[in-house]
Amino acid sequence: AMKEKHQNAFDDFIAVAEDLVKRKITTPEHLGIAGGSNGGLLVGTCFVQRPELFKAVVCQVPLLDMKRYSHLLAGASWMAEYGDPDTADWEFIKGFSPYHLFDAKKDYPATLFTTSTKDDRVHPAHARKMMALMEAAGKDVRYYENIEGGHGGAANNAQAAHMNALSYSFLWQQ
């Protein structure tokens, strides 16, 4: 799932979700997904590629703007995995850039973005920009930014418990 084959990761995740529905373990109306960091890219891409498959999404400290990721914080160190968006690699990268795949005309699952102001790996601009894009389009979206915590999203156990409570409460309510 490196570079031009990265779509395989999203296809596999979607295939598992489809199988859960096919085997009647759940339905799209009861399927929530969550992921952080690279997992935030995973759930971010999957919910914009297949919005009808999910009811709720928790997208934590996510990579979402794959056109600019290499210019923000540690992003340049991940080009071996994702490719260089400032070259011809953008042709395949844009296929898994949630920010660029978003279509204001589509319906999307309820979404919660969480991030940390002090994240030194994935810049909070990814979550901020995607939240603003979805909010401007009138989508069901929520946002929480912890002012501490770094890439883990929480600076201590109390904050970690709070972040988990936000995520699980959101999923349960949806």
Side-chain angles (χ1 to χ4, degrees), residues 44-87:
T45 300
C46 289
F47 95 78
V48 295
Q49 287 183 352
R50 292 292 307 279
E52 77 287 353
L53 193 53
F54 309 105
K55 176 68 174 174
V57 179
V58 176
C59 194
Q60 303 155 315
V61 292
L63 281 166
L64 297 167
D65 178 355
M66 297 305 289
K67 181 65 175 167
R68 299 239 333 115
Y69 87 92
S70 61
H71 299 280
L72 299 170
L73 300 176
S77 67
W78 307 322
M79 287 194 292
E81 180 175 356
Y82 302 123
D84 182 347
D86 295 327
T87 68

Side-chain angles (χ1 to χ4, degrees), residues 25-37:
I25 294 169
T26 191
T27 65
E29 294 77 29
H30 292 96
L31 187 55
I33 56 175
S37 190

Side-chain angles (χ1 to χ4, degrees), residues 131-152:
M131 164 63 188
L133 188 66
M134 291 181 72
E135 185 177 49
K139 304 306 176 192
D140 185 2
V141 62
R142 294 155 186 84
Y143 181 84
Y144 181 80
E145 183 170 327
N146 189 3
I147 61 170
E148 300 178 298
H151 191 56

